[in-house]
Amino acid sequence: GVLANGTNWSKFGQGKYNINRKFFDKSGHDSTYYKGLLDNINDEAWVVFGSHSSNAEQFDENMITEVLQYALNNGWEVMTLNEAIKYREKYY
């Protein structure tokens, strides 16, 4: 039940499962792209990062670490999806 169409989730009624999922893929994007996704989050939206760690063509541990550190350095919370859903239950 998760829409993967890139639409941001918002507390203003787009729904629990309409979340902004983005998968890390070093073959398609560099860290600048993923940092830009964070820079464009507004209105209490979120981005859910995923990875296919078993796929060596896509997975880059250093890039993921860099992007997550960027998020932390800019004051954004980093949590598991389960933690985020519990945190935002009040909006559902």
Side-chain angles (χ1 to χ4, degrees):
V2 175
L3 296 178
N5 65 359
T7 304
N8 288 343
W9 179 88
S10 164
K11 70 177 183 179
F12 298 108
Q14 292 181 27
K16 181 175 180 177
Y17 297 110
N18 195 12
I19 59 177
N20 189 19
R21 291 191 319 165
K22 301 295 180 187
F23 281 83
F24 285 105
D25 180 357
K26 70 179 182 182
S27 68
H29 301 289
D30 63 10
S31 61
T32 302
Y33 168 79
Y34 297 103
K35 290 176 185 178
L37 294 174
L38 293 171
D39 290 335
N40 288 306
I41 294 294
N42 58 38
D43 193 25
E44 297 189 33
W46 58 4
V47 61
V48 176
F49 287 121
S51 73
H52 295 286
S53 58
S54 62
N55 186 330
E57 292 177 17
Q58 294 179 350
F59 185 73
D60 183 336
E61 177 182 345
N62 293 326
M63 181 171 62
I64 293 170
T65 300
E66 179 184 342
V67 172
L68 294 179
Q69 189 60 57
Y70 178 79
L72 291 170
N73 290 345
N74 283 283
W76 292 303
E77 291 187 66
V78 175
M79 58 185 77
T80 67
L81 180 59
N82 191 45
E83 290 170 330
I85 288 174
K86 286 180 182 177
Y87 175 78
R88 290 178 173 238
E89 277 180 331
K90 62 186 174 194
Y91 297 126
Y92 306 142

